[in-house]
Amino acid sequence: MAHRFETRAIHAGQEPDPSTGAVCTPVYMTSTFVQSAPGVHQGYDYSRADNPTRHALEDNLASLEGARHGITFSSGCAATAAVVHWLGEGAHVISMDDVYGGTRRLFSQVFAHAARSFSFTDLTDPGAFEAHIQPNTKAIWVESPTNPLLKLADISAIVERAHARGIKVIVDNTFMSPYFQNPLALGADMVVHSCTKYLGGHSDVVMGVVMTNDDAAADRIRFIQKSVGATPGPMDCFLVMRGTKTLAIRMREHQSNAMHLASWLEAHPKVTKVIYPGLPSHPQHALAARQMSGFGGMISFIVEGGLAMATRVLERCKVFALAESLGGVESLIEHPGIMTHASVPAEIREELGIDDGLIRLSTGIEHIDDLVEDIRQAIED
Ligand code: P1T
């Protein structure tokens, strides 16, 4: 019988080292591997192509996402780029309108100049993409929940419609991690994560991964990984592997803190809006409860008083660090309009609802009372 998530997190891809018995997979800090005759080696020839520490991590991540293949990259953006390379010259992609600012920038300002084209639409309506289909539409790019507005896409409903048209569905599952959501089980063709976030979990690594059950697609993505060479180093792979061992307990704690904090914020008179999929007030709360096994650690909210008040709150927090990124054990606070989504043109931010007063929290796993007190004093004192 297959082991459960928590057990796989600790053991998948990781056998005690056969040469020494080391329980933890060693950091194979080597660029190359000796050959006994030309082309004769023990499975590894050069670390851009493969490295034993990376190999162990890729098997571990694939197991957690329920995928046959995990292919890692030097960042989440590099993983996204590999998928767009794989879609091929001339491909048209229909993307969720609210995605990480760097993803939109990569699509609109890099690949749009490299024989790819993109349409952005609100995939909270699973039929919305159909009006944008072109003869060369190859994929729907889903981010769910989205960054930073925490909108959800109904993954299986989109898959059903897209597959009927021969269109692939790719899901950026960074915000939920494989612990709370498994898009491949919902029919998606490919999953992308920024491992920089929950998978690494300690804000000390930048990395990405692509996961799929499609053998031919995996072969091609692996070929792109080796050929383009945006690969992670062995030390980073070790750190993410160390991170995934505690993913389940971290995610449970992130969620419990976020649920408490979101409810507290919602009751605060100076807070005009709280967006958290776990709150009954979230317009897609029912979908969140059905599609995910938890609601995650990300909260967005709007304070009364626009940019001036938002800036005050951001500057006054002490436990929450004012910083980009998310998914680490430490709580982070940021301003999407000025920070993570600054590369999204102002008129599009406005259209999406990325308000000047919008603040995004990555709820860490510190004591909940300290987190509430930190936000309280930043708003009230
Ligand atoms: O930063 P990198 O590892 O390249 O991952 C890019 C990325 C991809 N997808 C999502 C949903 C993301 O949130 C990110 C990175 N996001 C931030 C740095 C941020 O603060 O939102």
Side-chain angles (χ1 to χ4, degrees), residues 8-9 11-15 25-26 44 50-65 69-73 195-196 199-200 205-211 222 225 232-245:
R8 285 183 279 129
H11 296 288
Q14 300 174 67
E15 295 297 327
T25 303
Y44 297 95
D50 205 0
N51 172 284
T53 316
R54 188 175 100 199
H55 197 100
L57 171 65
E58 289 180 340
D59 284 354
N60 181 260
L61 294 172
S63 168
L64 297 183
E65 194 58 90
H69 309 279
I71 305 149
T72 52
F73 293 88
C195 307
T196 316
L199 289 166
V205 178
V206 174
M207 193 191 293
V209 65
V210 176
M211 301 201 259
R222 209 167 268 296
Q225 177 198 39
M235 187 65 207
D236 287 351
C237 292
F238 176 86
L239 287 171
V240 173
M241 205 150 38
R242 176 161 155 149
T244 60
K245 290 178 192 188

Side-chain angles (χ1 to χ4, degrees), residues 305-364:
L307 181 60
M309 182 60 177
T311 306
R312 180 178 187 271
V313 171
L314 289 158
E315 287 174 357
R316 290 172 61 101
C317 280
K318 297 180 181 76
V319 181
F320 278 85
L322 174 55
E324 301 197 9
S325 203
L326 58 111
V329 290
E330 58 285 286
S331 292
L332 302 180
I333 187 165
E334 68 111 10
H335 189 274
I338 297 175
M339 297 167 70
T340 50
H341 292 69
S343 64
V344 178
E347 66 276 10
I348 294 177
R349 285 204 306 269
E350 199 184 317
E351 204 178 290
L352 292 172
I354 303 179
D355 192 274
D356 274 354
L358 186 78
I359 294 175
R360 191 190 74 182
L361 301 178
S362 172
T363 316

Side-chain angles (χ1 to χ4, degrees), residues 100-170:
Y100 167 55
T103 301
R104 194 183 252 267
R105 179 176 58 197
L106 181 61
F107 290 170
S108 316
Q109 297 182 50
V110 179
F111 278 109
H113 305 297
R116 312 294 195 279
S117 56
F118 300 86
S119 302
F120 295 90
T121 192
D122 184 356
L123 296 173
T124 56
D125 168 3
F129 74 86
E130 291 177 328
H132 298 271
I133 292 176
Q134 299 176 10
N136 56 337
T137 302
K138 294 279 188 280
I140 312 295
W141 188 276
V142 176
E143 196 178 280
S144 184
T146 61
N147 182 358
L149 294 170
L150 300 163
K151 298 199 289 191
L152 269 68
D154 185 334
I155 297 169
S156 39
I158 290 175
V159 163
E160 196 181 315
R161 286 174 163 83
H163 284 181
R165 312 270 204 139
I167 298 170
K168 305 277 188 201
V169 176
I170 298 146

